[in-house]
């Protein structure tokens, strides 16, 4: 078992702020669809400035911990606002290019990792070994390894959430650790539910250690997350923020599992708007929570906490849709997944659902219900517009994430880092 160094402690003077959350639906329909994700980023030239117009959201707009979440399709689409001039968009795109998202991820990981390792080291040694294995820190048996433990996206969003409101990134460390532990817990349990045997090119925890031990390790990570966050300044409010995200995560996972039991076509089929809601909950809730926790622990007002939560939720939908595209057409050398893997498993991903809304739905259903090869199915999905519809959806969600960031005044440099990170994550096949 590897040694776990001492934690990075957050200062104790962080201001407490209320922690309401908004779903991605609150801003999703207020922006026009972009032509490219880069165009989307570049149209928001004033949002990062501290002099930007204040948010129109009041504290009363926020969800309480017990209120039901909205889905990404609740709100009708009003008229779209005009875009910034093309020369302004080009100038902002150039600024985005100057921010290296990989460097941002690396810096935030370096800040959070000591505290994350310390938290894992507080649990039972065997359970801690399984957790360390899941993070890529060791092999089965505890031998240290230098393998990748993932990008650390949620850690980065938490740190940037604090820095965006003018606080030190260190105040967000308890939130970053808590969200990373919850994410790892969810992956351990998801792999069991989905029967996945490999993650990041090696056996999943349940495959390496057994189902029961993997469930136990997931439970331990969840408990550590709550303990870590509760001990932080503004702990009760932060735990409430996390609990809302967890409820949404469970809701999204339940919907995702139920989608597999529903028919491809007909009145009971899974529609794209249902998929958006599922992705917002399953993937977006925790991304939004990470950014919101950083802002909350940094002493931000409720409107700012809500705006960062909304941005993360939109990012989650875009991230999931891009993941679906990679699951069908991605390069295995980049994704670590076999080509056409999702089609072989007949998963109800966004490109498939969009194609099933086309005139070719009958032909596609027949292929999906047959032993047709995944290449043939993929070709019909693309011919039917499924691939282009998924790309357009990802771009719409990126636009909405950028609009959420534009709603509140943020530190200019950190806001640019957030935008570059969003663009990097939805272009991770390049």
């Amino acid at each position: 078992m590897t040694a776990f160094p001492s934690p990075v402690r957050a200062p104790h003077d962080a201001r407490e702020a209320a922690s309401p959350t908004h779903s991605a639906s609150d801003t999703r329909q207020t922006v026009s669809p972009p032509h490219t994700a880069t165009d989307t980023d570049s149209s928001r030239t004033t949002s990062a400035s501290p002099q930007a117009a204040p948010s129109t959201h009041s504290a009363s707009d926020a969800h309480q911990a017990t209120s039901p979440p909205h889905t990404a399709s609740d709100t009708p689409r009003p008229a779209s606002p005009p875009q910034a001039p093309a020369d302004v968009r080009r100038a902002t795109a150039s600024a985005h290019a100057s921010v290296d998202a990989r460097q941002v991820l690396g810096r935030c990981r370096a800040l959070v990792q000591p505290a994350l390792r310390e938290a894992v080291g507080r649990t039972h040694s065997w359970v801690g070994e399984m957790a360390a294995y899941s993070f890529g820190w060791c092999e089965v048996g505890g031998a240290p390894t230098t393998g990748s433990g993932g990008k650390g996206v949620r850690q980065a969003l938490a740190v940037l959430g604090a820095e965006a409101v003018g606080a030190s990134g260190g105040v967000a460390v308890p939130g970053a650790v808590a969200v990373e532990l919850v994410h790892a817990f969810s992956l351990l349990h998801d792999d069991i539910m989905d029967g996945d045997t490999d993650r990041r090119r090696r056996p999943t925890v349940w495959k390496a250690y057994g189902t029961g031990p993997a469930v136990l390790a997931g439970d331990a990570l969840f408990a550590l997350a709550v303990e870590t966050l509760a001990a932080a300044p503004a702990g009760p409010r932060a735990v409430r923020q996390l609990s809302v995200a967890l409820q949404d995560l469970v809701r999204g996972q339940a919907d995702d599992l139920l989608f597999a039991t529903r028919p491809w076509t007909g009145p009971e089929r899974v529609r794209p708007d249902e998929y958006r809601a599922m992705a917002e909950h399953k993937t977006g809730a925790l991304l939004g929570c990470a950014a919101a926790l950083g802002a909350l622990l940094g002493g931000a007002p409720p409107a700012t906490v809500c705006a960062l939560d909304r941005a993360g939720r939109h990012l989650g939908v875009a991230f999931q849709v891009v993941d679906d595209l990679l699951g069908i057409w991605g390069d295995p050398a980049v994704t670590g997944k076999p080509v056409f893997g999702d089609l072989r498993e007949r998963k109800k991903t966004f490109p498939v659902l969009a194609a099933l809304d086309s005139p070719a739905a009958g032909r596609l259903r027949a292929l999906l219900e047959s032993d047709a090869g995944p290449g043939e199915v993929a070709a019909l999905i693309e011919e039917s517009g499924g691939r282009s519809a998924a790309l357009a959806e990802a771009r719409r969600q990126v636009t909405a994430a950028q609009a959420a960031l534009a709603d509140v005044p943020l530190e200019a440099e950190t806001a640019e880092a957030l935008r570059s990170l969003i663009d990097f994550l939805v272009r991770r096949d390049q």
Side-chain angles (χ1 to χ4, degrees), residues 6-400:
S6 300
V8 174
R9 292 199 171 273
H12 290 278
D13 60 351
R15 293 167 290 164
E16 293 194 358
S19 59
T21 59
H22 284 264
S23 86
S25 60
D26 296 338
T27 58
R28 177 178 175 271
Q29 303 293 349
T30 63
V31 292
S32 58
H35 296 293
T36 66
T38 303
D39 288 343
T40 298
D41 293 349
S42 61
S43 68
R44 303 292 174 184
T45 58
T46 61
S47 62
S49 169
Q51 287 78 34
S55 170
T56 56
H57 295 285
S58 67
S60 62
D61 292 333
H63 291 305
Q64 299 301 320
T66 56
S67 65
H70 294 295
T71 66
S73 58
D74 289 340
T75 311
R77 186 188 300 275
S80 300
Q83 285 192 328
D87 57 340
V88 176
R89 297 202 303 272
R90 285 194 295 270
T92 308
S94 176
H96 291 165
S98 68
V99 179
D100 189 327
R102 290 181 178 85
Q103 289 183 358
V104 171
L105 289 167
R107 176 178 68 83
C108 295
R109 276 198 306 270
L111 179 63
V112 175
Q113 281 294 306
L116 181 60
R117 286 177 176 265
E118 189 276 338
V120 172
R122 293 201 304 268
T123 193
H124 186 282
S125 59
W126 182 47
V127 173
E129 179 189 311
M130 288 186 281
Y133 176 86
S134 74
F135 283 118
W137 302 341
C138 74
E139 301 293 354
V140 175
T145 182
T146 57
S148 170
K151 296 183 182 70
V153 172
R154 291 153 193 83
Q155 301 171 44
L157 287 172
V159 171
L160 293 176
E163 293 175 348
V165 300
S168 164
V171 304
V173 168
V177 169
V179 171
E180 193 68 15
L181 291 169
V182 166
H183 177 56
F185 139 74
S186 71
L187 293 182
L188 262 64
H189 286 195
D190 282 358
D191 286 341
I192 295 169
M193 286 183 275
D194 296 341
D196 290 338
T197 58
D198 292 284
R199 181 173 291 278
R200 299 183 186 128
R201 299 181 177 86
R202 63 179 189 162
T204 51
V205 174
W206 75 266
K207 193 67 175 176
Y209 290 87
T211 302
V215 171
L216 182 64
D219 293 345
L221 291 174
F222 176 79
L224 282 171
V226 175
E227 177 190 4
T228 300
L229 198 54
R237 296 175 187 270
V239 170
R240 187 160 61 248
Q241 184 89 30
L242 181 65
S243 70
V244 172
L246 283 168
Q247 288 283 10
D248 279 354
L249 190 155
V250 170
R251 178 190 295 264
Q253 178 67 5
D255 284 341
D256 195 27
L257 291 173
L258 288 171
F259 284 176
T261 68
R262 293 169 61 179
W264 292 109
T265 57
E268 297 301 316
R269 72 184 186 276
V270 180
R271 298 179 184 274
D273 61 336
E274 294 179 275
Y275 180 98
R276 293 185 192 99
M278 179 278 294
E280 180 197 332
H281 294 143
K282 182 178 177 180
T283 305
L286 208 52
L287 291 172
C289 180
L293 281 176
L296 189 156
L297 294 172
T304 302
V305 174
C306 290
L308 288 170
D309 178 73
R310 291 196 306 276
R313 286 172 177 263
H314 286 299
L315 172 59
V317 180
F319 188 93
Q320 189 63 58
V321 171
V322 170
D323 200 55
D324 290 348
L325 286 163
L326 295 176
I328 298 176
W329 293 285
D331 180 356
V334 175
T335 66
K337 301 176 182 179
V339 66
F340 299 140
D342 284 354
L343 285 183
R344 286 192 177 89
E345 298 177 28
R346 296 302 197 250
K347 289 185 177 180
K348 292 184 174 70
T349 59
F350 193 92
V352 176
L353 299 178
L356 285 167
D357 267 353
S358 76
R363 291 167 54 206
L364 180 56
R365 181 194 65 187
L367 284 181
L368 289 166
E369 292 177 346
S370 73
D371 294 329
E376 183 181 359
V377 180
L380 183 55
I381 291 170
E382 185 160 13
E383 177 188 328
S384 304
R387 185 174 188 172
S388 60
L391 287 168
E393 180 64 28
R395 291 165 184 157
R396 279 194 294 271
Q397 295 295 334
V398 167
T399 300

